[in-house]
Amino acid sequence: MEGDTVIYKPDSSTQLLLIAAVVLLTLFIILVRRRLVMTRKGRRLDKILRNYKQQEVRSIVIPDGIGGLLELDRLILTERGLLVIETYPMTGHLFGAEQIDQWTQIIDGRSFKFANPLHHIQNAKYALQQLAPKVPIFYLVVFTGDSDFPKGKPDYVSTLQTLEQDLQAILEAPKMSDSSLKAWNRILRIGRKNGQAVLREVTS
């Protein structure tokens, strides 16, 4: 009838496309926000470590001391020895102890199990001791997400909130600049990054 208002009603396929577009846009926004948060936390971690490190290499692969290979997240040269950092961007309430193989993460009321991260970093310490037996090896597992340990934080574990305090033990150790640098150069000659030697021997 002339003058009547025509109301457009999308068919089912159009409705599904609109819903899919909204879902994809929401997921994109969530991913962007998460990336921004992780970038900010990564910068905070770098800022804290800046006070301790002289040099740093990331994702270096070294012999594990028992015939295999081991990848280190971050290996740092300090005046007082070598520092190994393994980062985990986990959030929520965390529960674990050194002797427990499976730790627990509780987030949004759901519980998840994950392998004890201390096992890997302790293996890293052993591997480095084989390459640098006269140099102190410090190590920390650092949870960089919004997380806490309601029943107590295990030794050699940090969050971004506790990291500066947990690193104080390094400042209390005696300086070993010459020994540390020699060990550092040896590790870089032996280690591999992206399949290539990190530091190559200079030959005449």
Side-chain angles (χ1 to χ4, degrees):
M1 183 181 297
E2 186 177 352
D4 289 347
T5 302
V6 177
I7 300 176
Y8 171 71
K9 293 184 178 180
D11 56 28
S12 58
S13 61
T14 303
Q15 289 178 334
L16 288 174
L17 287 174
L18 289 173
I19 292 172
V22 171
V23 170
L24 289 174
L25 179 60
T26 302
L27 289 174
F28 175 76
I29 293 173
I30 291 173
L31 289 173
V32 169
R33 286 180 176 176
R34 185 171 297 176
R35 176 63 63 87
L36 290 174
V37 169
M38 295 310 300
T39 299
R40 186 176 71 251
K41 292 183 180 298
R43 288 174 180 169
R44 182 178 175 187
L45 175 61
D46 289 337
K47 183 178 179 180
I48 294 172
L49 294 176
R50 192 180 304 149
N51 297 324
Y52 299 86
K53 68 181 180 182
Q54 295 179 320
Q55 298 184 48
E56 177 181 6
V57 62
R58 303 187 187 187
S59 303
I60 182 175
V61 177
I62 63 172
D64 64 3
I66 54 174
L69 297 173
L70 188 70
E71 183 174 1
L72 309 182
D73 185 6
R74 303 177 73 149
L75 178 61
I76 296 170
L77 171 66
T78 79
E79 287 185 324
R80 293 165 169 81
L82 302 177
L83 170 63
V84 187
I85 296 286
E86 292 289 331
T87 58
Y88 291 79
M90 301 180 71
T91 60
H93 300 305
L94 306 177
F95 302 86
E98 183 176 357
Q99 303 303 323
I100 298 177
D101 290 335
Q102 293 290 314
W103 289 15
T104 302
Q105 174 196 34
I106 296 180
I107 181 170
D108 296 332
R110 293 179 295 173
S111 177
F112 304 92
K113 298 291 185 180
F114 62 100
N116 183 341
L118 287 173
H119 292 170
H120 176 79
I121 204 167
Q122 287 167 349
N123 290 338
K125 178 184 179 181
Y126 173 81
L128 287 169
Q129 285 174 330
Q130 310 312 302
L131 301 176
K134 297 181 180 180
V135 175
I137 309 295
F138 305 95
Y139 62 94
L140 277 174
V141 171
V142 182
F143 289 92
T144 57
D146 292 324
S147 58
D148 61 7
F149 286 83
K151 292 189 175 180
K153 181 171 62 64
D155 292 338
Y156 307 108
V157 172
S158 292
T159 64
L160 286 180
Q161 291 72 32
T162 68
L163 181 57
E164 289 186 89
Q165 179 180 350
D166 295 333
L167 286 170
Q168 289 302 307
I170 295 179
L171 297 179
E172 297 170 0
K175 292 185 178 181
M176 300 189 65
S177 299
D178 293 340
S179 299
S180 296
L181 183 58
K182 290 178 182 178
W184 175 263
N185 289 333
R186 181 169 186 264
I187 291 168
L188 294 195
R189 285 193 294 268
I190 294 173
R192 294 291 183 269
K193 184 178 174 69
N194 299 324
Q196 303 293 324
V198 182
L199 179 66
R200 297 183 180 180
E201 293 277 8
V202 177
T203 57
S204 56

